[in-house]
């Protein structure tokens, strides 16, 4: 039962972080929004996760950054599946 609770907490945290990341990405479309206090907080939270993706995926034409799309896919698809596999293994022990 404790493993199930931990799994649900981690999945919920992934979902909350995903929303924070999406809001941060959308703020980039609004002039000066990322410079606001809220934007700076989101930057400190989101940039450490986005940075590895940006290192490997350069902007298209030097302007269009598609790395957040891959970051969201990893956060919403791969991490939950990995967590599920880990917790299924641990519950079988």
């Amino acid at each position: 039962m404790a493993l199930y609770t931990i799994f649900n907490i981690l999945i919920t945290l992934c979902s909350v972080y995903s929303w924070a990341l999406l809001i941060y990405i959308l703020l980039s479309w609004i002039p000066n929004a990322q410079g606001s206090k809220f934007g700076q907080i989101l930057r400190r939270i989101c940039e450490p996760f986005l940075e590895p993706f940006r290192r490997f995926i350069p902007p298209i034409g030097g302007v269009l950054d598609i790395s957040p799309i891959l970051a969201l896919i990893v956060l919403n698809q791969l991490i939950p599946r990995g967590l599920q596999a880990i917790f299924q293994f641990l519950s079988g022990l």
Side-chain angles (χ1 to χ4, degrees), residues 25 79 84:
I25 293 164
I79 291 175
Q84 184 178 14

Side-chain angles (χ1 to χ4, degrees), residues 16-29:
V16 169
Y17 193 77
S18 178
W19 278 104
L21 193 60
L22 186 60
I23 292 168
Y24 178 67
I25 293 164
L26 292 175
L27 283 180
S28 70
W29 297 353

Side-chain angles (χ1 to χ4, degrees), residues 28-79:
S28 70
W29 297 353
I30 302 169
N32 301 321
Q34 287 185 336
S36 69
K37 187 71 171 171
F38 180 66
Q40 291 173 1
I41 291 168
L42 284 178
R43 176 179 302 204
R44 278 181 281 187
I45 293 169
C46 297
E47 279 300 325
F49 184 71
L50 289 172
E51 180 60 32
F53 295 97
R54 289 192 173 131
R55 253 186 272 139
F56 293 107
I57 305 169
I60 296 173
V63 180
L64 183 61
D65 184 11
I66 62 166
S67 60
I69 295 169
L70 182 59
L72 283 170
I73 290 170
V74 167
L75 188 59
N76 289 317
Q77 298 293 319
L78 298 180
I79 291 175

